[in-house]
Amino acid sequence: MKKLNRSNPSLDENYRIKNIATMTIDLRSDTVTKPTQGMLDAIMTAQTGDDVYKEDPSVNELERRFAETFDMETALFFPTGSMSNQAAIKLHTQPGDQLICDKWAHVYNYEAGGAAFNSGVTCNLIDGERGMITAKAIEAGISPISNYHTANTTLVCLENTTNKGGGACYDFNEFKKVRQVCDDYGLGLHLDGARLMNAIVAKNEDPKDYGKTFDSISICLSKGLGTPMGTILLGTNDLMKRSIRIRKILGGAMRQIGLMAAAGLYALDHQVDRLALDHEKAKEIARTLEGVSFVKKVEPTETNIVIFNVVDELSKDKFVNDMLLKHIKISDMGQGKLRMVTHLDYSDAMHEIVLEAINNYQF
Ligand SMILES: *Cc1c(COP(=O)(O)O)cnc(C)c1O
């Protein structure tokens, strides 16, 4: 990987002095980023065409590049990650089927019941570790084909990195074991890789290994990669045969969307390696939180998501509000968990302010 330098500290210092009074530091999510100047230039000069006719050269190029990077046969551009995941579930299942996922999975918790609504599928939720589930637990969760009382298990959905699990990354060996279980039982294997690039950078993995292991992979461009919108769904030719039709049914067929595909191409070329900087900052935040008395627990921080609990004597609403008074936005994940996510628009100067705010916090 390329050696990365943080931004020029003297420029950063100017920024800090000029903007400290008005600046909001938004750590709620890595979706809050705005396109960089380079990305805006790429958008403004993009070649476009009608993507419904498959005539948008920028979309075609983006799909080709992702398919090549992951060594998968087919790629299709979607407006959102939820739509891409939902299309994948539809491609893999029949109404009445069951999919297996972790209890915190985005496909179950944050897609508005889409698996039931779009595909008529139920979810068998596994009680995993930080959003990750083992091949063993999956195998135990498969309903026996001979038992016609139970829903037929046809799909496993994994998430990497995990969202509610705090940006945790799987050990690749576990993926191989899950693949084996899916082969043994004839199940499809889908990866919700909304933040897959974060995992690949953090663990220095080869994207092609993912292509070899999963039947379908969904990758968001609008999270750490910093584009305004868009998600890529990758899959085998056989699985993806109906993907354009399903995208159309879900309302996701777009026209001159090469403008956004150009942003995706720019991100792929310029904004992947830098994810390591986000990870570094997240780890520094986690270490700082571990060192202060008002924090009860910090989840292990492997990528750009920090999840922590404050002590019982401090109400988490009060802490969130006190941070807001310092123009620092963080999010409440429920069940006592608070979340901070680092990203492209979180500068070194902002980082210093946040570390200071944590270290100096009194309650
Ligand atoms: C953000 C996210 C998605 C997709 O979200 P959209 O807002 O629909 O693009 C899917 N899975 C995970 C784990 C996510 O974090």
Side-chain angles (χ1 to χ4, degrees), residues 28-34 195 222-224 227-228 341 343:
R28 288 170 304 167
S29 173
D30 47 9
T31 55
V32 300
T33 57
K34 313 234 167 87
R195 295 186 180 82
S222 55
K223 303 265 164 95
T227 76
V341 187
H343 50 73

Side-chain angles (χ1 to χ4, degrees), residues 101-296:
C101 64
D102 181 78
K103 64 184 181 301
W104 288 344
H106 196 280
V107 293
Y108 174 72
N109 286 282
Y110 301 120
E111 295 179 12
F117 187 88
N118 298 311
S119 300
V121 163
T122 51
C123 297
N124 184 2
L125 303 179
I126 307 278
D127 186 14
E129 260 308 297
R130 295 193 293 140
M132 299 181 290
I133 54 180
T134 62
K136 210 167 155 198
I138 291 166
E139 187 166 17
I142 297 168
S143 46
I145 192 90
S146 57
N147 184 351
Y148 56 79
H149 300 285
T150 57
N152 191 19
T153 311
T154 50
L155 174 63
V156 174
C157 292
L158 304 182
E159 205 171 292
N160 202 34
T161 68
T162 64
N163 178 346
K164 209 172 172 186
C169 312
Y170 275 85
D171 180 330
F172 208 93
N173 278 325
E174 201 60 41
F175 287 145
K176 290 186 182 159
K177 291 184 195 163
V178 175
R179 177 74 263 172
Q180 189 58 52
V181 169
C182 290
D183 287 345
D184 291 349
Y185 291 83
L187 313 182
L189 181 55
H190 173 68
L191 180 63
D192 175 358
R195 295 186 180 82
L196 184 53
M197 290 308 187
N198 292 82
I200 286 172
V201 167
K203 302 207 101 178
N204 204 9
E205 293 167 330
D206 183 352
K208 294 188 169 56
D209 289 337
Y210 282 90
K212 278 193 206 107
T213 310
F214 290 89
D215 299 310
S216 55
I217 305 177
S218 169
I219 303 165
C220 288
L221 305 174
S222 55
K223 303 265 164 95
L225 296 186
T227 76
M229 61 169 283
T231 294
I232 287 283
L233 181 64
L234 296 162
T236 57
N237 276 344
D238 193 42
L239 180 74
M240 296 291 280
K241 268 196 304 247
R242 288 160 54 243
S243 61
I244 292 186
R245 168 173 289 273
I246 300 218
R247 184 180 69 176
K248 180 77 185 179
I249 292 171
L250 295 174
M254 301 174 285
R255 302 292 177 175
Q256 283 72 30
I257 201 61
L259 296 175
M260 292 301 111
L265 282 164
Y266 183 85
L268 197 55
D269 289 333
H270 302 282
Q271 293 179 176
V272 174
D273 288 342
R274 64 152 307 286
L275 292 170
L277 299 176
D278 299 344
H279 302 167
E280 205 179 288
K281 287 196 182 99
K283 285 177 189 172
E284 280 168 7
I285 292 174
R287 276 200 294 277
T288 305
L289 287 168
E290 274 162 10
V292 294
S293 60
F294 66 88
V295 170
K296 181 158 84 179

Side-chain angles (χ1 to χ4, degrees), residues 1-32:
M1 213 174 64
K2 265 185 264 162
K3 177 117 181 62
L4 298 160
N5 289 314
R6 289 196 173 177
S7 49
N8 182 328
S10 58
L11 288 179
D12 239 30
E13 190 54 27
N14 276 337
Y15 182 77
R16 174 186 163 113
I17 293 160
K18 266 197 247 141
N19 294 283
I20 197 157
T22 51
M23 178 166 72
T24 299
I25 302 176
D26 198 341
L27 290 170
R28 288 170 304 167
S29 173
D30 47 9
T31 55
V32 300

